[in-house]
Amino acid sequence: MAGGSSGRTVASRVLALIGAFDPGHRRLTLSELAARADLSLPTAHRLIAELVGWGALVREDDGTYAVGRRLWDAGLLAPVATDLRTVAAPFLHDLYGATLETVHLAVREGDHVLYLETLRGTRNVPIVSSVGSRLPMYSTGVGKVLLAHAPDDVRHRVLTGPLTPFTRYTITTPGRLRRQLDRVVSDGWATTAEEMTLGACSVAVPVTTADGVIGALGIVVSDLRRNRPRLVSALQVTAQGVVRALP
């Protein structure tokens, strides 16, 4: 029963509100937050207002709440994200310098791809991702790499869930997407052709350690028909460099 906050510290109540969010509950109403944190509505409302004011939570237009940027910034200080971003940084800059195209470093977060780093290219290619943004895995290059190597339950959930089309080229047929993911595993790289944004194509490779695939590196260009082999090779060399440099 919500409202069991007697004897709990303020810190424990705040942590309970933050802990109410998970991959299956990314947006919650005030009532849902109160219930999941076992707090009364007045207490939840007061604490949520403070969290929103600080930037830990954001209030969406529909009245629901989501995790805010301040928590994301704090999360980047965690050893895994920090190590990967820090170690990858010089390699990403080298890759950018060699291609002058937009370069991405991403990891899987639940059923989405989370962008840890983005270096914008000099060419006029539409880009919708940015550092800290989350996009569907099935419609992005780095996302397809991460989805192809995700646990079976994640793949099943994405393939059986709504595959919303972002452009007329987005692959929304589960069988076709499943076959493509199988090829990603066998080929060692993934591509997209205007599946997230018209005028933007991407190619990506996994960052693989002894523990498995821990991330993905990608490049976004206007056309892959001529340069795909060269870009795949550059990405693979970069990924190998990152892995060798990891502690």
Side-chain angles (χ1 to χ4, degrees), residues 18 21 31 35 37 111 116 151 163 180 182-183 186 194 209:
I18 295 173
F21 296 92
S31 296
D111 296 346
L116 295 182
L163 298 173
Q180 187 182 59
D182 291 340
R183 289 197 302 273
S186 60
E194 300 185 284
T209 69

Side-chain angles (χ1 to χ4, degrees), residues 95-247:
L95 181 61
Y96 169 79
T99 63
L100 297 181
E101 305 287 2
T102 295
V103 175
H104 291 314
L105 170 66
V107 296
R108 181 176 67 84
E109 185 189 60
D111 296 346
H112 289 73
V113 55
L114 172 64
Y115 289 81
L116 295 182
E117 190 61 272
T118 295
L119 300 179
R120 295 278 178 164
T122 60
R123 295 172 176 81
N124 187 26
V125 180
I127 306 295
V128 298
S129 58
S130 59
V131 175
S133 65
R134 297 164 176 81
L135 293 175
M137 287 191 287
Y138 64 87
S139 56
T140 65
V142 286
K144 287 187 178 183
V145 166
L146 296 168
L147 182 56
H149 293 278
D152 290 341
D153 63 317
V154 175
R155 284 186 55 158
H156 176 75
R157 191 162 57 243
V158 172
L159 288 169
T160 57
L163 298 173
T164 304
F166 295 95
T167 74
R168 62 182 180 274
Y169 301 111
T170 307
I171 297 176
T172 57
T173 305
R176 182 182 174 193
L177 182 57
R178 184 178 293 107
R179 290 190 295 272
Q180 187 182 59
L181 295 176
D182 291 340
R183 289 197 302 273
V184 170
V185 174
S186 60
D187 293 342
W189 45 266
T191 62
T192 63
E194 300 185 284
E195 294 177 44
M196 175 57 71
T197 310
L198 292 176
C201 302
S202 64
V203 58
V205 304
V207 178
T208 308
T209 69
D211 296 323
V213 173
I214 62 169
L217 292 172
I219 292 178
V220 181
V221 296
S222 60
D223 193 328
L224 279 172
R225 287 173 291 186
R226 293 183 180 179
N227 296 325
R228 180 182 55 75
R230 179 177 67 85
L231 294 177
V232 168
S233 178
L235 283 165
Q236 290 174 333
V237 169
T238 301
Q240 292 166 5
V242 171
V243 171
R244 285 196 297 267
L246 283 171

